[in-house]
Amino acid sequence: MGVQGLCTLLENHRDVYRDVRFRQSRLVIDGCNLIYLLYFDSGLDQNHGGEYAAFDALIEKFVKALRDCRITPYVVLDGGSDYTDKKLETVTERAKDRIIRAHQAAVEGSHEGILPRLVKGVFKQTLARLEVPVAKCYGEADQEIAALASEWQCPVLSKDSDFYIFDLPGPVGLLPLSDFKWEAVQGSGSQSYIPCKGYTTSSFCIVFQIQRQILPAFAALAGNDYVKLQRRESPIKWAQFAGPGSGGGWKSSRLEGLLRWLRRFNEPQDAFEAALGLMGGLSEDKKKELLQGLHLGMEEYKLPPSSLKKFFLHGMVPPFPAVEKVAGRVPNWVRLPLTQARLTSDILDVLLLRRNSLNNPVEHGDMPSSHLTSRPLRQLMYGLLLGQGEEVMERDRDGLQINFIPVKAVVPDSCRHLKLNSLDQAEPSLCLQVLLEALGVTEASLSNLPPPLRLPVAATCYWLRSARPRPDEALLKALLLGLSTGDSLRHRAALQIPNHRYGQKLDVGVVHAINQWQSCLRVSIQLNQLLGYPLPEPPIARLFQGTLVHQLVHRMRSGAKVKTFPKKERSSARLYSTMQTVVHQFHSEETSAAREGHRRAPAGAVAAAPRRQPLDELTANLQQLFLLYGDDEEEEEARTEACSQVKVQEDLHLSELVSVKTRYRAKERNNRCRNPELARKEECRGWDLL
């Protein structure tokens, strides 16, 4: 929803607010609003793929501030699109605008308010880690947030203009996010509080001299996302009623004029009929249509009984809307993980609307949509949800235009026995097989990786095979370095790379490749969720830091030496080498298969064994690992590390290369003995696996 210009109007009428020292209370938080405020107001980079570790730290700091003041947060998130599609026009217009702004950001390097692709996933994972109660609604969250706050007699934290219209109870109904000074906690101990501003509808009505029951009519006449009376063929020029001295632009003048005009009315119906009279020349049928729309607009501000109260207190799942049009399309088992935010709300849009709206990140309009790379994974997800051959309309960009593209659902042979109604009871081994086959990897190849990294590495293998154009080696190495360290902020400091004030001009090719990788990772995570988590969900905030990856790619392409790991981080170096081996093996096999596809096998020939990588190519990681150690006192530990790496190679059917260990190790020891000073300097410089 939303009343355009209302927040700006109230900036010019600050007397509607009062100072509040907020502490020791429940607080219902508009989660989507909080995501945007924290990410954008903190100045985090928007154009290089996301600063997820910094965002994770910011969320943790926010939650700590609340708990220091004995404030108990309850976060509520939006769910799927409204099944009536009454907001489709508005949502589509916003998507068109986002595409233009995303292109502008790519061209100019400006911040245009484009949220990086995995920010919402980081937000949910961080809140789960901090044990903050979270609920995702089936549809838009505004009414549910207001209803819960009303029953609990506690404030709402949001910047959405609709919360200025809801009749929220108590001495403080709304705490506007823009005035919530959570970084400036004052007092100490049990007296700690957050200085902020409080708002009530009573204060609004006193300042603007209108009756309280007229406030929802004001929102409907002003035109929220459902009612756009001002765009009709005979729009009312409300600014003519504003009077002298009104400022703040045409939107504020329009709203101020409407509020002045509304002072004469006590009932909404009288105001609606008078407003239609101002339009003039309307037929009775047209008047009836417009009146119905205005009343529906008012209905949006009526508060139903809260469906989330029992969920937060007792874990009871909210009932799904009992509407004949959608009844039975969503299995009962889906409701709990959806409400827990453990399933993506895209599932609801696919089940109820046969549509999936793909948000576009910062990307040059001349590049193809980065969502194309992950489409086969989404087709599998649609197949699990709808069955073979069903069609889903994907909203995506084509150049700078928005497009609705029909995409067929696909059900491979391995999924034939999986049915949506019982998908939660499927054998975990079967679900794992389906996921790994979709990503094109094997369980054995991932077995030597830590469980949280198996899904990201599998998604990386898929991306490397599917991305067009092919990602270069520098980008792959930069991504794997981020995965291996597990702490991109510390890694940035170790490499002495400046913070997100990134000086290089945006490389649209790197941006496009990273967008493809993030799209593959995001859909892999969604598919993993739908299949019941056959692989552990990866901690997104510890995997990727956009500006760091861009800087690493720039350094490697320019020939600058990159010190990847301090000496003490043997485990990170080993993990990086292992991931390189896994990814390159599948990349090599895929390349080999593509070559073989162009050759015709002779009749009766025995199928050739999978091609193995050349000796030099496959031993590179082992050789690099043996270079990491030099002092005699570390001999035993070095052998342990090397043996671990050899085990990886053996699992990948590369055991014939183990003999390299002895030769290379002996050669390195001899070199170090001849030049001990060089050996000492190598130790001090740290490790460079690139």
Side-chain angles (χ1 to χ4, degrees):
M1 296 189 286
V3 181
Q4 287 191 2
L6 182 55
C7 292
T8 303
L9 172 68
L10 295 182
E11 282 300 307
N12 300 322
H13 293 274
R14 299 289 292 176
D15 47 345
V16 300
Y17 301 113
R18 70 180 183 88
D19 292 328
V20 174
R21 296 182 173 186
F22 189 58
R23 64 186 182 90
Q24 291 184 320
S25 171
R26 285 173 171 156
L27 179 64
V28 182
I29 298 176
D30 180 348
C32 293
N33 250 236
L34 181 61
I35 290 171
Y36 282 89
L37 178 105
L38 287 180
Y39 198 90
F40 292 148
D41 285 11
S42 60
L44 294 176
D45 184 85
Q46 303 170 22
N47 298 345
H48 296 83
E51 292 192 284
Y52 300 133
F55 185 54
D56 173 85
L58 195 64
I59 299 165
E60 187 166 353
K61 186 178 176 183
F62 175 81
V63 172
K64 181 180 184 302
L66 297 184
R67 288 173 170 166
D68 286 347
C69 300
R70 300 188 180 185
I71 299 166
T72 306
Y74 294 86
V75 178
V76 183
L77 298 166
D78 287 329
S81 304
D82 191 287
Y83 64 87
T84 65
D85 253 357
K86 57 188 175 185
K87 273 187 71 171
L88 180 60
E89 179 185 350
T90 299
V91 170
T92 304
E93 287 299 320
R94 288 177 181 172
K96 291 178 182 177
D97 176 66
R98 178 188 171 99
I99 290 170
I100 299 298
R101 288 186 290 114
H103 172 72
Q104 185 176 345
V107 172
E108 301 175 1
S110 54
H111 279 189
E112 299 294 334
I114 305 297
L115 204 64
R117 184 164 276 160
L118 301 177
V119 163
K120 293 182 180 179
V122 172
F123 183 73
K124 288 181 280 191
Q125 286 186 349
T126 306
L127 293 183
R129 176 172 62 80
L130 298 174
E131 299 183 341
V132 174
V134 177
K136 179 183 283 190
C137 298
Y138 298 130
E140 195 168 74
D142 289 1
Q143 271 191 329
E144 294 291 348
I145 290 170
L148 181 62
S150 177
E151 292 196 18
W152 274 348
Q153 296 284 300
C154 72
V156 167
L157 182 66
S158 178
K159 197 181 178 181
D160 193 311
S161 58
D162 280 315
F163 290 105
Y164 290 99
I165 309 299
F166 285 114
D167 191 10
L168 299 172
V172 183
L174 172 68
L175 301 177
L177 259 169
S178 52
D179 290 300
F180 193 70
K181 308 302 181 185
W182 62 271
E183 292 182 285
V185 172
Q186 298 183 15
S188 60
S190 62
Q191 299 304 308
S192 297
Y193 66 90
I194 294 176
C196 53
K197 298 288 184 181
Y199 166 90
T200 61
T201 53
S202 299
S203 176
F204 183 95
C205 293
I206 290 170
V207 169
F208 290 102
Q209 301 174 44
I210 65 170
Q211 298 296 317
R212 197 164 179 167
Q213 63 270 22
I214 290 293
L215 195 51
F218 157 70
L221 288 167
N224 57 24
D225 286 346
Y226 300 130
V227 183
K228 298 179 175 59
L229 195 65
Q230 75 274 18
R231 299 185 189 178
R232 298 284 179 177
E233 59 273 13
S234 302
I236 303 171
K237 294 181 172 58
W238 295 114
Q240 65 183 305
F241 302 107
S246 62
W250 73 269
K251 287 183 179 179
S252 294
S253 298
R254 182 178 66 85
L255 294 182
E256 209 158 337
L258 172 57
L259 286 166
R260 282 179 177 268
W261 182 81
L262 284 170
R263 290 176 183 176
R264 70 189 78 175
F265 300 103
N266 292 321
E267 295 298 331
Q269 182 67 22
D270 296 337
F272 289 159
E273 290 178 356
L276 296 182
L278 291 175
M279 297 180 71
L282 295 176
S283 66
E284 288 302 315
D285 286 344
K286 193 67 173 179
K287 283 184 178 180
K288 184 177 180 181
E289 176 192 340
L290 293 177
L291 274 174
Q292 183 179 12
L294 289 167
H295 280 289
L296 286 174
M298 277 186 58
E299 288 293 317
E300 298 297 328
Y301 300 103
K302 286 188 176 179
L303 297 183
S306 172
S307 65
L308 294 180
K309 181 179 177 181
K310 291 182 179 179
F311 171 75
F312 278 127
L313 296 181
H314 309 297
M316 293 180 60
V317 183
F320 198 78
V323 181
E324 184 176 352
K325 182 180 177 181
V326 299
R329 292 189 187 177
V330 181
N332 287 336
W333 72 264
V334 170
R335 289 164 39 203
L336 178 60
L338 266 174
T339 309
Q340 294 172 331
R342 287 173 55 82
L343 277 179
T344 173
S345 50
D346 292 349
I347 287 174
L348 285 181
D349 286 357
V350 172
L351 289 173
L352 301 182
L353 300 170
R354 299 294 196 272
R355 187 169 64 240
N356 192 6
S357 300
L358 307 176
N359 284 329
N360 300 101
V362 170
E363 196 160 60
H364 197 288
D366 290 344
M367 306 293 284
S369 168
S370 55
H371 291 293
L372 296 175
T373 305
S374 58
R375 179 178 288 172
L377 297 178
R378 292 194 301 278
Q379 289 180 279
L380 171 58
M381 187 165 69
Y382 303 153
L384 291 170
L385 293 170
L386 302 174
Q388 178 71 34
E390 293 290 333
E391 212 168 66
V392 175
M393 298 300 292
E394 288 192 342
R395 190 199 71 200
D396 198 1
R397 71 170 182 86
D398 182 6
L400 294 179
Q401 302 299 315
I402 203 161
N403 205 359
F404 286 89
I405 305 146
V407 175
K408 290 285 187 183
V410 173
V411 180
D413 290 340
S414 58
C415 298
R416 296 296 179 187
H417 300 295
L418 293 178
K419 304 299 179 184
L420 179 61
N421 286 335
S422 58
L423 191 56
D424 60 319
Q425 301 170 26
E427 285 293 328
S429 58
L430 176 57
C431 292
L432 178 61
Q433 177 190 350
V434 169
L435 178 63
L436 296 183
E437 284 184 4
L439 296 173
V441 297
T442 64
E443 187 175 1
S445 66
L446 303 178
S447 61
N448 288 280
L449 295 171
L453 288 183
R454 290 172 186 173
L455 185 58
V457 170
T460 302
C461 290
Y462 173 89
W463 163 76
L464 192 62
R465 185 173 63 250
S466 306
R468 297 292 182 273
R470 293 276 189 182
D472 69 356
E473 192 69 14
L475 179 55
L476 175 62
K477 287 177 177 178
L479 287 171
L480 294 181
L481 280 171
L483 295 179
S484 61
T485 59
D487 189 342
S488 55
L489 291 181
R490 182 168 52 84
H491 196 200
R492 176 189 295 281
L495 297 176
Q496 298 181 332
I497 292 178
N499 203 356
H500 61 272
R501 306 298 181 188
Y502 189 81
Q504 299 293 330
K505 182 180 178 181
L506 198 65
D507 187 323
V508 295
V510 174
V511 168
H512 181 65
I514 287 175
N515 286 341
Q516 290 179 317
W517 180 78
Q518 291 204 45
S519 179
C520 294
L521 178 59
R522 182 174 183 269
V523 182
S524 299
I525 290 173
Q526 292 177 342
L527 194 54
N528 188 55
Q529 291 172 345
L530 181 61
L531 289 167
Y533 296 87
L535 290 176
E537 185 157 292
I540 299 170
R542 299 180 66 83
L543 301 180
F544 176 85
Q545 189 82 344
T547 50
L548 175 61
V549 170
H550 276 258
Q551 189 70 289
L552 285 170
V553 172
H554 173 72
R555 288 189 178 191
M556 284 186 273
R557 286 181 177 176
S558 64
K561 189 161 184 174
V562 180
K563 300 174 186 176
T564 56
F565 302 105
K567 174 186 171 185
K568 61 183 179 181
E569 294 190 5
R570 295 186 179 87
S571 60
S572 295
R574 184 174 65 251
L575 182 56
Y576 170 78
S577 185
T578 302
M579 288 191 295
Q580 268 200 322
T581 302
V582 172
V583 171
H584 277 300
Q585 183 218 11
F586 280 95
H587 179 51
S588 176
E589 287 181 356
E590 192 273 338
T591 302
S592 176
R595 290 198 194 105
E596 291 297 325
H598 294 290
R599 303 173 185 171
R600 186 186 300 270
V606 179
R611 174 184 174 271
R612 294 178 178 177
Q613 292 170 269
L615 180 64
D616 291 343
E617 184 179 343
L618 286 173
T619 58
N621 292 324
L622 281 174
Q623 293 171 349
Q624 290 162 347
L625 184 64
F626 302 146
L627 275 170
L628 303 181
Y629 312 100
D631 296 339
D632 290 337
E633 63 190 15
E634 294 179 338
E635 287 290 328
E636 186 60 35
E637 187 171 357
R639 280 193 292 272
T640 302
E641 299 283 355
C643 288
S644 174
Q645 186 67 13
V646 168
K647 178 63 166 63
V648 176
Q649 304 287 19
E650 288 175 340
D651 288 341
L652 297 174
H653 311 290
L654 305 175
S655 56
E656 70 273 19
L657 301 178
V658 175
S659 60
V660 174
K661 168 194 166 185
T662 306
R663 297 197 306 271
Y664 203 88
R665 183 64 183 165
K667 178 181 178 181
E668 177 59 19
R669 188 184 300 111
N670 290 335
N671 288 340
R672 288 176 177 271
C673 290
R674 284 195 292 266
N675 196 340
E677 180 61 21
L678 176 62
R680 187 188 65 80
K681 289 180 178 179
E682 285 292 330
E683 291 284 357
C684 294
R685 279 200 294 265
W687 302 339
D688 180 9
L689 297 189
L690 302 182

